[in-house]
Amino acid sequence: MTYTAAWFIPLIAIIAALTAGGVIIILSGYDAVLAVAALIDGALGSPYSLGETFLRSCPLILTGLAVSVAFRCGLWNIGAEGQFLMGALVAAGTAPFFVAWPNYMATPALLLSGFAAGALWGGIAGYLKIERHVQEVISTIMLNFVAIQLVGYAVHGPLMEASGQFPQTDPLAESIRLSRWLPPTRLHTGFILAVCCTGLIWLVLFRTVFGYRIRAVGLNSEAARSAGIDTRASMVQTMCLSGGLAGLAGAVELSGVTHRLFEQFGGGYGYTAIAVALLARLHPGAVIPAALLFGALGAGASGMQRVSGVSSGLVYIIQALILLFVVMAAAYERRWRKAV
């Protein structure tokens, strides 16, 4: 299978998933054409809808990059959700210290604190893997639950709003919020940051020695070790970078959208990121269109339910089917290559 032909796999998976979704709609007794039209209109039908699609895709770009980087190194980072939460938690906790700073310093400092928190959380899993031989799949999943509980403790305790009425933090000061750049939509400058991070990760992976080491370890860690690459250090560094990107996504979501930290903050972005990364075939450049697709599905779901009566939960079925078809196609591709 040629390189160009291989890129048809995600497209085929998307078409197959949408077709299966349409069949489900018909079998449920609804008008599939009306439902699809409402979904598209809810995602792309107006400037506000388009802004919502880009807004929802922003954290998916960053978390999708996080998962892609780890997978490139042969590490299954299932903990982007926890790293996302820790980035938001530390950003919310450090926000009061940046209030007096100028905006051009305060907002970057807030985002960097989120990146650092996510990097530390990812680094823990990396350390456990190389020192204690703990599989990163297990450690990252467990750390997700630890992060969830830490957020719950914080919003019920030390970070709870001053009035003490609700389990949430006080709103961020205006000086540390990401500015909106497409009124009247909620789209903020974090989307530009996410796109810039995509370009930066592409450069790191394909134009630096560090990126070469990541890819070499991912392809064959034994061969990389024989070639003199410190695979242990590469794994920890990769997990730190991966966690940092997910933590940055949490800080961006806090600063650009919610302006508060509360329970159930994550919204599943860290888990959806796995599907985004696999659909993008772990390539940074393809993460953006993959994230936009999932962002469009999320943005159009409520409009589809309102207009056609089809439950917005169908969107999650379509997302799951896309992931299923991508995995099936990848398995077929591997078998085809072995046969050749």
Side-chain angles (χ1 to χ4, degrees):
M1 183 176 294
T2 66
Y3 178 81
T4 302
W7 281 99
F8 281 104
I9 291 176
L11 180 60
I12 294 172
I14 293 169
I15 295 172
L18 292 175
T19 302
V23 171
I24 293 173
I25 293 174
I26 294 172
L27 293 177
S28 301
Y30 294 98
D31 187 335
V33 175
L34 178 62
V36 172
L39 179 67
I40 295 173
D41 183 68
L44 308 171
S46 68
Y48 185 85
S49 299
L50 189 61
E52 286 296 301
T53 293
F54 280 84
L55 182 75
R56 288 173 177 267
S57 68
C58 178
L60 290 176
I61 293 173
L62 291 170
T63 52
L65 287 173
V67 174
S68 296
V69 167
F71 283 11
R72 280 279 183 175
C73 194
L75 298 167
W76 289 83
N77 180 13
I78 314 299
E81 183 76 4
Q83 296 145 16
F84 178 93
L85 289 173
M86 290 306 297
L89 174 60
V90 172
T94 57
F97 298 101
F98 305 133
V99 171
W101 293 18
N103 182 266
Y104 66 89
M105 294 177 59
T107 304
L110 184 79
L111 299 181
L112 284 174
S113 70
F115 181 91
L120 175 62
W121 212 243
I124 292 173
Y127 172 81
L128 289 173
K129 180 176 179 64
I130 67 168
E131 294 294 337
R132 301 296 180 183
H133 307 290
V134 178
Q135 287 295 323
E136 69 278 4
V137 173
I138 297 173
S139 61
T140 51
I141 289 177
M142 294 179 67
L143 286 169
N144 284 346
F145 290 100
V146 175
I148 291 171
Q149 297 304 318
L150 284 174
V151 170
Y153 165 75
V155 298
H156 280 93
L159 296 184
M160 191 174 186
E161 63 178 357
S163 65
Q165 294 183 351
F166 302 101
Q168 61 184 15
T169 63
D170 289 314
L172 295 183
E174 291 287 344
S175 61
I176 49 179
R177 296 182 184 182
L178 289 168
S179 58
R180 296 181 179 178
W181 59 284
L182 193 62
T185 72
R186 299 188 298 159
L187 186 61
H188 52 76
T189 51
F191 183 81
I192 300 175
L193 175 63
V195 173
C196 292
C197 285
T198 301
L200 183 61
I201 293 300
W202 182 86
L203 288 173
V204 168
L205 282 177
F206 300 106
R207 293 295 184 271
T208 68
V209 174
F210 175 60
Y212 173 78
R213 290 171 179 166
I214 289 175
R215 291 183 289 118
V217 173
L219 290 172
N220 191 318
S221 60
E222 292 299 326
R225 186 181 296 109
S226 300
I229 296 175
D230 188 343
T231 57
R232 290 160 57 90
S234 294
M235 287 181 180
V236 174
Q237 292 165 0
T238 301
M239 283 302 297
C240 287
L241 176 59
S242 176
L245 289 166
L248 176 62
V252 167
E253 188 73 2
L254 178 77
S255 179
V257 181
T258 66
H259 306 142
R260 292 177 184 266
L261 182 68
F262 45 83
E263 286 187 299
Q264 310 301 323
F265 178 84
Y269 286 121
Y271 297 118
T272 307
I274 299 172
V276 170
L278 292 177
L279 181 61
R281 298 179 66 81
L282 309 184
H283 195 286
V287 165
I288 292 179
L292 285 171
L293 171 64
F294 281 84
L297 289 172
S302 59
M304 179 183 66
Q305 180 170 307
R306 184 177 61 256
V307 174
S308 67
V310 177
S311 172
S312 59
L314 177 68
V315 165
Y316 299 107
I317 296 176
I318 293 174
Q319 291 177 354
L321 288 172
I322 290 174
L323 179 58
L324 176 63
F325 287 130
V326 167
V327 172
M328 290 172 58
Y332 170 77
E333 181 186 356
R334 286 195 296 270
R335 291 182 61 184
W336 187 89
R337 286 179 174 176
K338 288 181 180 179
V340 173

